[in-house]
Amino acid sequence: MFDPPFYKCIFEINNDDNYSVASVNMGTSEPNDLVIYNFILKNYSKISFYKVGSEQIINTKKKINPKRLQRIARKQVNNEFQGTKAQKTLQKQHELIKKERKKKNSKEKDERRKIMFKKKQAKKKEKHKGR
């Protein structure tokens, strides 16, 4: 598949209840069958598949503001994503990775703030020791 400016290989595994998909960038020039075949032989074990199926549980316990619900509904109605099952699954994977990255970054930011606060407190204590 050509997704400008790169060619992508999309791998799909469809078992009973589970559906898995992975996407790999192959470069800017169109890969031939031999290149794809060699890539699969050498790197198939390194490909990370995103699984969708019975194991995926959506957490709906969190209460959402009604105004936000209206915005979400409007976005879904107006921006209906048209694409293949693989593209939709890859989009979900991308969104999950983005959420995980945001959580990780916010935790790191909080830890940096705590460390800086401790350093400032230590500096204040050092000033008041009378040296």
Side-chain angles (χ1 to χ4, degrees):
M1 164 180 157
F2 182 68
D3 186 13
F6 299 105
Y7 283 91
K8 290 186 176 184
C9 281
I10 296 178
F11 299 98
E12 296 177 296
I13 299 174
N14 208 354
N15 297 334
D16 301 329
D17 295 345
N18 298 326
Y19 175 76
S20 302
V21 65
S23 174
V24 178
N25 286 338
M26 295 301 288
T28 54
S29 61
E30 185 175 3
N32 58 16
D33 293 338
L34 183 63
V35 172
I36 295 171
Y37 182 71
N38 285 334
F39 176 81
I40 293 171
L41 287 177
K42 293 179 183 175
N43 300 318
Y44 188 78
S45 62
K46 296 176 188 173
I47 298 173
S48 60
F49 284 89
Y50 176 67
K51 295 180 182 178
V52 176
S54 59
E55 41 196 60
Q56 186 180 19
I57 299 171
I58 299 172
N59 189 3
T60 57
K61 294 178 184 177
K62 187 176 178 183
K63 186 178 178 186
I64 301 175
N65 189 329
K67 198 76 168 178
R68 181 173 294 281
L69 276 175
Q70 287 178 345
R71 275 187 242 128
I72 291 170
R74 193 176 335 115
K75 280 183 183 179
Q76 288 178 350
V77 169
N78 292 337
N79 297 330
E80 188 80 22
F81 177 70
Q82 299 295 324
T84 64
K85 188 175 181 181
Q87 287 173 330
K88 289 178 183 180
T89 306
L90 287 171
Q91 185 181 26
K92 286 179 187 177
Q93 178 191 20
H94 179 69
E95 290 171 2
L96 285 175
I97 290 171
K98 199 160 80 171
K99 283 181 184 178
E100 290 172 5
R101 190 181 330 118
K102 282 186 178 182
K103 283 182 185 178
K104 181 183 150 197
N105 287 342
S106 66
K107 284 182 183 179
E108 288 176 358
K109 193 174 182 181
D110 286 342
E111 288 179 18
R112 275 185 268 152
R113 284 183 182 164
K114 288 178 184 177
I115 290 170
M116 291 301 292
F117 179 74
K118 287 180 183 178
K119 284 183 181 178
K120 286 181 183 179
Q121 292 297 319
K123 190 175 179 181
K124 284 181 185 179
K125 285 182 183 180
E126 189 67 31
K127 279 186 175 179
H128 293 288
K129 283 188 177 179
R131 290 186 182 186

